[in-house]
Amino acid sequence: MFELAKMDSLLIKSNALLADQSLDIIRPIVEKIDWKDRLIGLLGARGTGKTTLILQKMKKEYGHTGKAIFLTLDDIYFSSSRLVDVVAYFTARGVEAFFIDEVHKYPDWAREIKNIYDQYKKIKIVFTGSCITDIIRQNADLSRRAIQYEMPGLSFREYLEFTGAIRVKSFTLEELLKSHQSIATEMVRQFQPLAHFQTYLRYGYYPFFQENKDTYPIRLEQIVKMTIENDLRFIEGYDPTKSRKITQLFYILATNVPFKPNITKLSEKTGINRNTLVQYLHYLEMARLVNFLSAKGPSISNLQKPDKIYLENTNLHYALSGNNADKGSIREAFFLNQVKNAGYSVSLPLKNDFLINEEELFEIGGKNKKGEATTDRLWVVKDDIEIGVLNKIPLWLFGMMY
């Protein structure tokens, strides 16, 4: 009887969360997910809105019909109870869809979800997990069954929609390069991009900016701390006693980005041996705290160091450096972040700042930036301008790509 009461408490929590969930703004990634699949994984960094998105989908599709339930696996209930038993209980009572949050915090989650998927042929499972979640290592059979998506932070375009400034469609890189002047001209008629852009760079990447901008930097520091101290420990082979060293490494990077890694000097400064240090850099990249940039060629392995390291987004720059954040670093970090999140490959060319899809070269700078006309594929990306001309494109416009 006591066990049944605990089961019913899970449903009560689910209903309460569903009732409170707003549907006013739903991020466009919801349209990119093929919800017909029976097993869907939504991965991403802390604070990017994964929980909100699956609650919105659940509310929109199932409402309060009792055919779906939201479960979070960091609930104390699951410290002594099995997910498979909960699914069996609610399936027998007509639940058809399970929206499961924070799967990486549940021991042996991949095996249980795989078994549930195989046993119950008519139910749907949508789960969220940290971006460090490696399903292939957890369970190769599950990785073949689950369709995975990654949820980044807000683009500049999404931020504008969240704030009510403007609502516009996203543009591909090809569209921007071909028609940037007409696209920017039309948008400038509707709002002032530069004023909003500066605010976005400081506060707009994580959806919780709406709650309290004054404490936003504090929350970002907490995200960094919790990611390193809590999330990284779910990586196979990770030693949680080293979290202090990784935190030290991250803050060294944060105050020196864009950082060209000198592994020997970093090793001396942190007291971390060379091989372990490279592995820690990859942990930070997996956790979406930093972005790697490497020279054109095959993707780097865990045994190689990147050629350049940036903080993953500009909000982290400002939260950790305040008004001392370097403007050039901010510009480059924004460009790299938005282009990578839009799904394009970015590498470090021999000259210029960025090479996209091994075709287009980009130089990033202020409004007086000049780029060498070494090729017709060179684009000069300028901050502090609203509208560009010819091969000169406003920096803010690259925030419209997803």
Side-chain angles (χ1 to χ4, degrees):
M1 193 71 176
F2 178 65
E3 186 63 29
L4 294 182
K6 288 199 295 182
M7 289 278 198
D8 289 340
S9 73
L10 294 175
L11 184 59
I12 292 169
K13 291 177 184 177
S14 174
N15 289 338
L17 286 168
L18 203 64
D20 289 341
Q21 182 57 59
S22 168
L23 297 178
D24 290 346
I25 299 177
I26 301 177
R27 294 189 61 187
I29 190 177
V30 77
E31 303 298 334
K32 296 180 180 180
I33 297 173
D34 190 342
W35 296 100
K36 296 190 298 295
D37 288 307
R38 282 185 52 222
L39 183 57
I40 297 168
L42 183 62
L43 310 181
R46 279 181 178 267
T48 52
K50 303 181 297 296
T51 303
T52 296
L53 188 80
I54 66 169
L55 278 168
Q56 288 175 326
K57 176 61 181 177
M58 177 179 162
K59 185 169 187 175
K60 196 170 182 180
E61 184 168 343
Y62 296 96
H64 292 279
T65 61
K67 293 184 177 181
I69 187 170
F70 175 87
L71 304 168
T72 179
L73 297 193
D74 64 351
D75 190 302
I76 192 171
Y77 176 84
F78 289 102
S79 62
S80 59
S81 301
R82 298 169 65 217
L83 175 63
V84 65
D85 295 330
V86 173
V87 171
Y89 176 85
F90 285 108
T91 300
R93 285 155 181 78
V95 173
E96 301 171 356
F98 294 82
F99 291 79
I100 304 174
D101 204 21
E102 304 274 27
V103 294
H104 59 283
K105 295 184 178 179
Y106 179 82
D108 210 14
W109 65 270
R111 183 181 61 82
E112 280 205 36
I113 288 180
K114 181 258 180 189
N115 290 339
I116 291 167
Y117 175 87
D118 289 343
Q119 182 177 353
Y120 298 95
K121 304 293 186 182
K122 294 184 179 180
I123 68 169
K124 177 180 291 187
I125 300 171
V126 179
F127 66 85
T128 75
S130 167
C131 47
I132 57 89
T133 305
D134 189 339
I135 292 180
I136 293 177
R137 283 191 182 182
Q138 290 277 341
N139 188 305
D141 289 335
L142 178 64
S143 71
R144 289 193 289 268
R145 290 163 170 79
I147 306 300
Q148 296 179 64
Y149 301 85
E150 181 163 347
M151 190 163 185
L154 298 177
S155 66
F156 181 43
R157 186 188 71 84
E158 291 179 295
Y159 166 79
L160 293 170
E161 183 175 342
F162 267 66
T163 59
I166 189 175
R167 175 176 287 192
V168 294
K169 77 176 192 73
S170 60
F171 296 92
T172 65
L173 177 65
E174 294 72 22
E175 288 172 328
L176 289 183
L177 298 185
K178 181 180 179 180
S179 307
H180 66 86
Q181 189 171 351
S182 60
I183 293 170
T185 299
E186 178 59 32
M187 293 178 67
V188 167
R189 290 194 184 108
Q190 302 175 61
F191 81 117
Q192 295 179 308
L194 296 185
H196 292 280
F197 186 52
Q198 292 307 313
T199 307
Y200 168 81
L201 294 176
R202 284 181 177 269
Y203 301 108
Y205 191 65
Y206 298 91
F208 59 78
F209 77 87
Q210 299 173 101
E211 297 174 19
N212 188 341
K213 282 185 179 178
D214 292 336
T215 58
Y216 185 82
I218 297 172
R219 291 190 65 178
L220 285 194
E221 288 201 55
Q222 291 173 340
I223 280 179
V224 170
K225 183 178 180 181
M226 293 176 70
T227 298
I228 294 173
E229 293 183 356
N230 296 333
D231 293 355
L232 290 184
R233 63 189 173 92
F234 296 104
I235 297 176
E236 184 179 352
Y238 176 73
D239 183 355
T241 64
K242 304 300 183 184
S243 62
R244 187 173 180 181
K245 286 289 186 183
I246 295 182
T247 301
Q248 179 190 4
L249 173 62
F250 175 73
Y251 279 93
I252 289 173
L253 298 176
T255 54
N256 290 280
V257 288
F259 193 88
K260 296 181 179 179
N262 183 318
I263 299 301
T264 299
K265 288 185 178 179
L266 264 181
S267 178
E268 292 171 356
K269 197 167 187 176
T270 60
I272 305 170
N273 76 61
R274 288 173 55 90
N275 291 340
T276 304
L277 182 60
V278 173
Q279 186 66 57
Y280 286 177
L281 289 175
H282 283 266
Y283 287 163
L284 292 173
E285 194 266 344
M286 288 172 64
R288 301 300 181 262
L289 292 176
V290 299
N291 261 336
F292 285 174
L293 187 64
S294 297
K296 177 182 173 181
S299 59
I300 58 177
S301 73
N302 286 351
L303 300 178
Q304 295 173 294
K305 70 179 180 69
D307 294 296
K308 229 173 180 182
I309 300 175
Y310 293 83
L311 290 186
E312 199 273 341
N313 64 80
T314 61
N315 290 185
L316 288 173
H317 275 269
Y318 280 110
L320 301 174
S321 301
N323 292 327
N324 295 321
D326 179 73
K327 199 160 188 179
S329 299
I330 294 289
R331 291 166 179 154
E332 292 185 23
F334 168 79
F335 182 87
L336 179 61
N337 168 274
Q338 300 286 290
V339 173
K340 284 187 70 173
N341 286 351
Y344 295 92
S345 67
V346 190
S347 56
L348 182 65
L350 292 175
K351 292 183 178 181
N352 311 113
D353 294 323
F354 299 102
L355 176 66
I356 298 182
N357 286 355
E358 300 190 359
E359 292 181 340
E360 311 289 348
L361 288 165
F362 294 85
E363 278 282 340
I364 318 296
K367 61 183 178 181
N368 297 319
K369 177 72 175 180
K370 295 180 180 179
E372 292 182 47
T374 54
T375 170
D376 60 359
R377 294 221 179 242
L378 174 63
W379 304 89
V380 182
V381 180
K382 296 189 173 189
D383 195 7
D384 302 318
I385 65 169
E386 288 188 337
I387 302 170
V389 62
L390 299 176
N391 72 327
K392 301 170 182 65
I393 307 178
L395 178 62
W396 65 266
L397 205 53
F398 288 89
M400 301 291 154
M401 296 173 64
Y402 73 92

